[in-house]
Amino acid sequence: MVGAYPVTPGQAIGRLLDWYDRHRRPLPWRAPPGRRPDPYHVLLSEVMLQQTTVATVAGRYEGFLARFPSLAALAAAAPADVLHAWQGLGYYRRARALHACAQAVALRFDGALPRSEGALRALPGIGAYTARAILAIAFEQPTVPVDANIARVLARRHGIETPLPGALKELQAQADALASLRRPGDVAQALMDLGATVCRPRLPRCEACPWQSACSAHATGSAERLPRRATRPQRPVRRGLAFLLTRQDGAILFQRRPESGLLGGLHELPGSPWLAGPLSLPASLEHAPVAADWRLAREPVIHGFTHFVLELTLAEARTERPPPGLWCPPHRLHELALPTVMKKLLHRAGLRPGPSNR
Ligand code: SF4
């Protein structure tokens, strides 16, 4: 460690916990100080927080919990209801995996989450990070998970120059050095909070950090440069049309996507295939649900998925001869399980896929 005062892991944990006791974030899924949370609450919040911000999850966590108050209630739910309750959180494969996880726990563990990393990781949707977070926070086991916030704190504190994701092993080794029997759940949550509120990606507040005197990046002025990241190749762009067909009574035509694959089981407007290259209009219009005078939007709706960027151009038409299908009146759009990209398209058409759209 360059230019920083070394401290023992015990001293580092002590400073961190003192800071946490004064500055912990009051998040809806956290138990009050000194109390253990319901393991289901930990599982649910950690799965929701994968790839989604705390602010978004905070706005949806309690609604989901009210609908499925226990792992058993979630296991017994219909898949479409789970997807519907997941709206706004994105990355729907997490919802399907969470549902499958609840069913596996009901079947194999009599409804109680197992307490070993191996058994947790054998469940759908639970990887190394989530398993360690559950073990530390719900079961007070001495382990430290490494998420993006914790990776940043540890990379800076120890001056780790290896780019992510290659640095993960090194970071986990530093995290393991902090694993102790002293309040493991609070240590994990303190690190998450430190990364989110003090050791921020930009403008870290080192003056408020309990580890300032022991931090390599602070001593060398390299905090904002760390952690380093391997450059990601640019995502390819796919393009297509989305058909918004309206019946005489105002109802709109939808369809359900196949259960497996991207956005599986969710509702969508009918569309043309999503293809690389420029949008080919005559070929794309051949996929329209009816022959009609389709009006095309000038600008596409753009949505980023993990592996590609999607540009969908809205095509609108009315029909007096509606084909059979799933017709939904505008005031019931909130009953559909709509992915974010479809909500963006409906917004573009002046519709609000929420309960107030009357
Ligand atoms: Fe992060 Fe600054 Fe604290 Fe180091 S001293 S861990 S860079 S906030």
Side-chain angles (χ1 to χ4, degrees), residues 130-156:
T130 308
R132 289 200 176 108
I134 292 170
L135 292 174
I137 301 170
F139 299 132
E140 291 291 340
Q141 291 190 23
T143 183
V144 177
V146 177
D147 69 353
N149 279 328
I150 297 177
R152 185 168 58 255
V153 174
L154 295 177
R156 288 174 175 175

Side-chain angles (χ1 to χ4, degrees), residues 25 54 147-154 191-196 199 201:
R25 291 177 294 174
V54 165
D147 69 353
N149 279 328
I150 297 177
R152 185 168 58 255
V153 174
L154 295 177
L191 282 167
M192 292 171 191
D193 284 13
L194 190 66
C199 196

Side-chain angles (χ1 to χ4, degrees), residues 153 156-157 194 198-199 204-206 209 211-212 215 217-218 223:
V153 174
R156 288 174 175 175
R157 183 180 164 220
L194 190 66
V198 174
C199 196
R205 297 167 49 227
C206 298
C209 180
W211 283 353
Q212 189 198 89
C215 177
H218 176 69

Side-chain angles (χ1 to χ4, degrees), residues 294-306:
W294 290 98
R295 279 178 297 111
L296 264 57
R298 283 195 188 164
E299 297 292 332
V301 162
I302 300 172
H303 187 77
F305 291 103
T306 314

Side-chain angles (χ1 to χ4, degrees), residues 234-317:
Q234 268 209 335
R235 288 176 292 177
V237 180
R238 296 185 197 167
R239 298 179 176 86
L241 289 180
F243 299 104
L244 195 148
L245 184 63
T246 309
R247 217 164 50 178
Q248 275 179 317
D249 64 357
I252 298 162
L253 182 63
F254 285 89
Q255 63 189 20
R256 266 190 90 196
R257 292 182 63 82
E259 282 300 332
S260 60
L262 185 70
L263 309 177
L266 299 180
H267 293 111
E268 66 174 1
L269 296 171
S272 67
W274 304 341
L275 301 174
L279 181 65
S280 158
L281 266 187
S284 298
L285 279 168
E286 279 176 19
H287 296 272
V290 293
D293 183 14
W294 290 98
R295 279 178 297 111
L296 264 57
R298 283 195 188 164
E299 297 292 332
V301 162
I302 300 172
H303 187 77
F305 291 103
T306 314
H307 299 297
F308 67 98
V309 174
L310 181 60
E311 290 187 10
L312 282 183
T313 300
L314 192 66
E316 294 184 69

